[in-house]
Amino acid sequence: QVQLVESGGGLVQAGGSLRLSCAASGPTFSMYLMGWFRQAPGEEREMVATINWGDSITRYADSVKGRFTISRNNGKTTMYLQMNSLKPEDTAVYYCAAKGTYAASYNYWGQGTQVTVSS
């Protein structure tokens, strides 16, 4: 069972930066795709960015392109989300998730970390 633990959330002023981390443990060799998702109060959860665990190909939501960067470490045990030029509308609980090679959807989720951007 892959376990995911997020860290790095907090309160920041608009225009500021935060870096989220997601530490993965367990059979990480079975992971194919990892991503960051977020959910604001009263809103549906949305994809923020994804990264192929093998070749590091990335994909971003239009709302964060040019501001956020997803990456992973060489040991393939930690994923990051560097968030720059933060806006109040980025306020949400951010979750990291992983999809196994043969899974139809993301089947591992972290507990979430709160990001609050004040105006």
Side-chain angles (χ1 to χ4, degrees):
Q1 186 87 353
V2 172
Q3 293 185 324
L4 305 173
V5 179
E6 303 101 334
S7 61
L11 173 65
V12 64
Q13 287 189 329
S17 298
L18 281 175
R19 188 171 90 150
L20 305 183
S21 299
C22 175
S25 61
T28 57
F29 60 85
S30 67
M31 297 193 305
Y32 169 71
L33 186 67
M34 286 194 73
W36 288 99
F37 294 76
R38 67 187 182 187
Q39 187 167 21
E43 302 288 334
E44 292 189 355
R45 185 169 57 196
E46 63 174 351
M47 184 276 289
V48 175
T50 64
I51 184 167
N52 286 6
W53 212 234
D55 58 18
S56 296
I57 292 176
T58 59
R59 177 174 160 237
Y60 296 91
D62 288 343
S63 59
V64 306
K65 278 180 183 175
R67 300 189 298 123
F68 291 10
T69 303
I70 189 172
S71 62
R72 60 159 175 80
N73 67 344
N74 288 336
K76 298 182 183 179
T77 58
T78 307
M79 177 176 66
Y80 305 98
L81 185 68
Q82 178 66 43
M83 304 185 294
N84 298 329
S85 302
L86 282 161
K87 304 175 181 179
E89 50 263 44
D90 294 318
T91 295
V93 177
Y94 283 70
Y95 299 90
C96 70
K99 179 179 177 298
T101 303
Y102 302 107
S105 61
Y106 286 89
N107 48 336
Y108 301 109
W109 292 85
Q111 81 286 356
T113 186
Q114 177 70 46
V115 171
T116 303
V117 184
S118 63
S119 57

